[in-house]
Amino acid sequence: MDPEIFEMENADIAWCPGCGDFLILKALKQALADLELGPEKLVLVSGIGQAGKLPHYLKSNVFNGLHGRSLSPATGIKASNPDMVVIDVSGDGCMYGEGGNHFMHTIRRNPDITNIVLNNMVYGLTKGQASPTSQVDFKTPFQVDGVFEEPFNPLAVAITLGASFVARTFAGDIPHMVEVLKKAIEHKGYSLVDIFQPCVTFNKVNTFTWFKENTYLMDDTHNPYLKIEALKRALEGNDGEGKFPLGIFYIKKGHPTFEENLSVYKKDKTPLFWRKVDKNKLKNLIDSKRGL
């Protein structure tokens, strides 16, 4: 399939020139095209932020929600129509900050969705405040003395909570991004793909060059099916020493998805949105709960 099928004509793209988001958008289009997933099979869900704008520039079904709350409608969309491919696109501030609670409990539920997080270690929409993943001593116009909190480690949290697919890639390596995204989308269950994405305007520290010099690709010696080994890898780099690994950290197979655990699909696999509502039955149920 030609990735041009996802092109939005005359789109007014509101990203800064040189932003890593352009490369991620290109990689996602290519991954979807390689998987033969047309716009009609896809739902992109996002919150607020520069990352949250990405679905606006890719032809598909789109739901744009509240800041940090995109995983809840994404889970609901997948539960209502399990046949759709649901991809949640967010940023490090939106997903790991405002949406931290939703992030953790979505992992526990294990819906069959792909959660792509564009991680630039700064708030790139609201003028450059430190984000949950900003490194210690990172200075901003708001953290003038530098960040002193330990950065949030999304991969370690996801692995600890039993996420069924955890990976990290880098916006400066399109082929690697495409392959990781394809495997994440094909995986059955919750998939986290954290993407290092340089912000060329508000983060002059974690640049394309910095990420190239401070990351490395994991080789075949890493076994993604061993949770403890995956957790050890996820801790690398976060202490300010050593490099950040890139690749697939953890895969957990055989874990039932949120949709598979729903009683409404035990006997009838028809997607909820196709089913006709028995209004009298629904009214009687509501009245019974009211004590009428």
Side-chain angles (χ1 to χ4, degrees), residues 145-162:
D145 295 322
V147 172
F148 55 81
E149 301 97 338
E150 182 177 345
F152 181 73
N153 188 329
L155 274 62
V157 170
I159 293 167
T160 301
L161 290 174

Side-chain angles (χ1 to χ4, degrees), residues 192-221:
L192 171 65
V193 180
D194 186 80
I195 304 181
F196 282 152
Q197 173 260 315
C199 173
V200 296
T201 298
F202 294 111
N203 189 340
K204 303 300 185 181
V205 176
N206 307 114
T207 61
F208 277 97
T209 299
W210 187 93
F211 280 118
K212 288 179 180 179
E213 294 176 348
N214 289 276
T215 60
Y216 74 93
L217 293 174
M218 291 187 289
D219 58 28
D220 293 339
T221 61

